[in-house]
Amino acid sequence: MQQIIFFFIRNKNFLLFAVLFIIALALTIQSHNYHNNKFISSANLVTGGVYTVRNNITDYFTLAKENEDLLQENLMLRKKLSQYNELNLAPTLDSGNIINKFEYYSARVINNNYSKTKNQLTLDKGRRDSIKRDYGVISSKGIVGIVSDVSNNYSTVQSILNTKSRINAKLKKSSHFGSLIWNTKDPNIAQLIDIPRIADIEKGDTIITGGRSTIFPEGVLIGTVKDFHLDNDDNYYYVNIDLFNDMTSLEHVFLIKNNDAIEINELEKRVEDAE
Amino acid sequence: MQSNDILINIVRFIVLVFIQVLLLNNINLGGYINPFLYIYFILLFPLDGNKSLLIFLSFLLGLSIDIFEDSGGVHAAASAFIAYVRPFVLKYSFGVSYEYKSVKIKKADTTEKITYITSLVLMHHFVMFSLEIFSFKHIPLLLKSTLFSGIFTIVLTMCTMILFNRKSK
């Protein structure tokens, strides 16, 4: 017994270090796993508060660019509205009966990183603003990421610039599907893989979200084809995409709630369980 | 440790965390190079201080950075690691004078100081980036990040040391 106690006393530094190192490793591994990185995140009161204060200050420096972006968006919406009016829709629908499939919320980015391999953003909206996990996040220019964790007032977003992200995307002109990933090299360039060889693809083609997931609606802009080549087994294309979004300067974003998501997921789960 | 030392270290801890998360994490030189100055706390922790305490405090320091950065526990692991190996690094960088407890990091010989800082910084960065990247596919990226961020951190640490050394005289 005495020997054991002496052993502990003699090696107390090493043991302390080993325990702490294992805790840190566990936290790291846990954070690599998308569906339970819930233990430690910047979506808590202290860090969220600090980032909000910082943003209240730094917001002023980007006001000019923000205004420019808003102007552009207004212009685009105005154009759409005029096209819509020209359509002259049939007799008024009973708007009370139409339930929108997608609902939108707006939020401000209070922390954004893009220099690591697994990047996250922090937003200033949380559970109290009815934000939940797995909501899609876009900006006025295109796709940003997916909500990965929520606290009462803040939420964290797994950015598309994250090696864990895999988002369903397609070619706008031919609707061939693939997955959007990121190879960590350049925050302005993402990759589209698994596009079948048969697809007719050219430089400058537009890539949009595919609408096969329950997270993003179909047709959210992603980017344009920069270059492409066949991958190792010659059956699929590996496409580099110039993102429309400047992921290094995001200020205001929109969150998307899919009202049918729960129903779809439950149904799919039931089918899987039955098999 | 005297009460003065305790106060200085508490202040240094807090100030370094804030400088790191609010300023240094946003530099992104060349797209991905950031200095990690917060380990300055571990480098300058009093040599006669309690070693277990240092390991624990380093873990907390790293964890604070992790919480702000959403990076799991990579900084905590790397910081605890260099806190644990610090006595060995001290021994081989300062040699005999460390054994006699007569060395003062700030006033030590420049070559010895550089050996000490470089070893700890590179070890810290290597552990941190391997955990963060966590894949054998990206070994070139790991080495590149370690080297460039390491140089940046070393330069910044030396500058900070010189800056604050002069003031205290």
Side-chain angles (χ1 to χ4, degrees):
Chain A
M1 191 63 204
Q2 213 176 10
Q3 298 246 322
I4 299 173
I5 294 170
F6 275 137
F7 172 79
F8 275 109
I9 291 174
R10 220 178 321 124
N11 290 313
K12 67 176 196 298
N13 282 340
F14 178 75
L15 290 171
L16 178 68
F17 160 68
V19 168
L20 293 178
F21 197 78
I22 288 166
I23 294 175
L25 268 185
L27 289 173
T28 309
I29 291 165
Q30 198 192 28
S31 78
H32 284 193
N33 189 343
Y34 169 67
H35 270 291
N36 44 35
N37 60 351
K38 311 309 143 210
F39 199 59
I40 282 191
S41 83
S42 71
N44 68 47
L45 207 61
V46 179
T47 52
V50 171
Y51 280 144
T52 311
V53 169
R54 179 189 68 184
N55 252 60
N56 285 339
I57 300 165
T58 53
D59 258 3
Y60 291 102
F61 299 114
T62 53
L63 272 184
K65 189 182 156 291
E66 276 298 295
N67 274 334
E68 184 67 26
D69 285 352
L70 283 175
L71 265 176
Q72 291 293 339
E73 197 182 356
N74 267 341
L75 193 71
M76 192 194 73
L77 291 175
R78 240 168 236 274
K79 272 187 196 156
K80 280 209 172 146
L81 187 66
S82 65
Q83 284 167 1
Y84 181 79
N85 284 337
E86 278 166 21
L87 278 175
N88 245 342
L89 288 176
T92 10
L93 298 161
D94 183 359
S95 58
N97 283 336
I98 303 175
I99 299 167
N100 280 332
K101 197 175 164 205
F102 292 101
E103 277 174 43
Y104 292 84
Y105 304 87
S106 77
R108 213 159 54 121
V109 177
I110 56 170
N111 184 39
N112 177 15
N113 49 51
Y114 44 85
S115 58
K116 300 192 284 180
T117 55
K118 296 180 181 65
N119 295 299
Q120 303 261 4
L121 292 87
T122 313
L123 307 182
D124 69 340
K125 290 275 167 71
R127 208 174 288 129
R128 290 208 183 115
D129 311 285
S130 58
I131 306 299
K132 295 204 181 71
R133 202 198 289 175
D134 286 341
Y135 281 12
V137 182
I138 61 172
S139 78
S140 55
K141 285 187 204 147
I143 190 164
V144 173
I146 299 168
V147 175
S148 61
D149 194 12
V150 217
S151 69
N152 280 336
N153 295 307
Y154 303 99
S155 51
T156 53
V157 175
Q158 181 180 310
S159 146
I160 52 169
L161 303 184
N162 187 317
T163 48
K164 289 183 284 176
S165 288
R166 224 184 147 86
I167 290 163
N168 181 268
K170 68 177 184 184
L171 287 168
K172 192 180 179 189
K173 66 174 181 188
S174 65
S175 296
H176 280 102
F177 283 97
S179 301
L180 185 74
I181 56 160
W182 187 52
N183 70 0
T184 74
K185 294 221 174 86
D186 185 332
N188 294 313
I189 294 170
Q191 284 70 34
L192 186 62
I193 54 166
D194 295 345
I195 290 280
R197 184 182 187 156
I198 194 169
D200 173 28
I201 182 167
E202 270 172 57
K203 236 181 217 185
D205 283 354
T206 309
I207 309 289
I208 56 177
T209 54
R212 279 202 184 170
S213 72
T214 52
I215 294 171
F216 292 102
E218 190 181 339
V220 175
L221 292 173
I222 297 176
T224 56
V225 174
K226 184 168 183 267
D227 52 54
F228 58 96
H229 58 84
L230 284 170
D231 69 1
N232 301 335
D233 52 0
D234 272 4
N235 288 321
Y236 295 100
Y237 281 119
Y238 183 94
V239 188
N240 282 315
I241 302 172
D242 264 327
L243 295 172
F244 285 128
N245 244 337
D246 181 2
M247 293 298 289
T248 60
S249 82
L250 292 169
E251 282 294 328
H252 287 93
V253 293
F254 303 99
L255 291 118
I256 307 170
K257 175 193 182 187
N258 184 344
N259 283 318
D260 295 340
I262 298 170
E263 198 181 326
I264 294 173
N265 287 337
E266 264 176 18
L267 181 66
E268 285 179 350
K269 198 165 172 282
R270 213 157 62 207
V271 175
E272 264 171 34
D273 288 347
E275 271 170 1
Chain B
M1 256 202 288
Q2 297 151 350
S3 59
N4 193 18
D5 270 353
I6 297 175
L7 189 70
I8 287 177
N9 276 290
I10 292 173
V11 172
R12 195 182 280 155
F13 187 107
I14 297 169
V15 169
L16 282 173
V17 169
F18 277 98
I19 289 182
Q20 184 65 42
V21 297
L22 295 181
L23 195 68
L24 300 180
N25 280 347
N26 300 310
I27 290 182
N28 296 325
L29 194 72
Y32 60 95
I33 305 168
N34 280 336
F36 296 94
L37 185 67
Y38 70 93
I39 56 172
Y40 187 70
F41 173 81
I42 306 168
L43 295 173
L44 278 201
F45 194 79
L47 294 178
D48 53 350
N50 187 328
K51 282 170 193 142
S52 311
L53 182 69
L54 172 64
I55 296 176
F56 186 67
L57 286 179
S58 307
F59 176 78
L60 277 190
L61 177 69
L63 198 64
S64 327
I65 307 286
D66 277 326
I67 294 173
F68 275 103
E69 272 217 69
D70 278 315
S71 47
V74 298
H75 291 282
S79 305
F81 177 71
I82 59 163
Y84 174 68
V85 298
R86 194 179 86 134
F88 308 110
V89 177
L90 277 169
K91 208 175 281 175
Y92 90 64
S93 349
F94 296 108
V96 191
S97 51
Y98 168 66
E99 312 235 354
Y100 289 109
K101 314 261 178 214
S102 62
V103 64
K104 282 220 152 49
I105 296 172
K106 281 186 171 175
K107 296 190 176 83
D109 185 47
T110 319
T111 348
E112 290 174 347
K113 211 154 58 178
I114 290 175
T115 322
Y116 169 64
I117 294 172
T118 310
S119 331
L120 281 187
V121 166
L122 288 183
M123 275 187 233
H124 171 270
H125 284 33
F126 186 77
V127 173
M128 190 194 74
F129 282 118
S130 2
L131 287 176
E132 192 204 300
I133 295 168
F134 217 66
S135 124
F136 290 114
K137 271 191 291 183
H138 296 295
I139 286 177
L141 177 71
L142 162 68
L143 297 177
K144 215 164 57 177
S145 309
T146 308
L147 184 67
F148 291 140
S149 286
I151 293 172
F152 201 169
T153 310
I154 292 165
V155 170
L156 207 61
T157 312
M158 293 300 288
C159 294
T160 318
M161 223 173 246
I162 293 165
L163 206 68
F164 283 89
N165 210 7
R166 197 172 278 168
K167 215 165 114 189
S168 67
K169 262 178 197 170

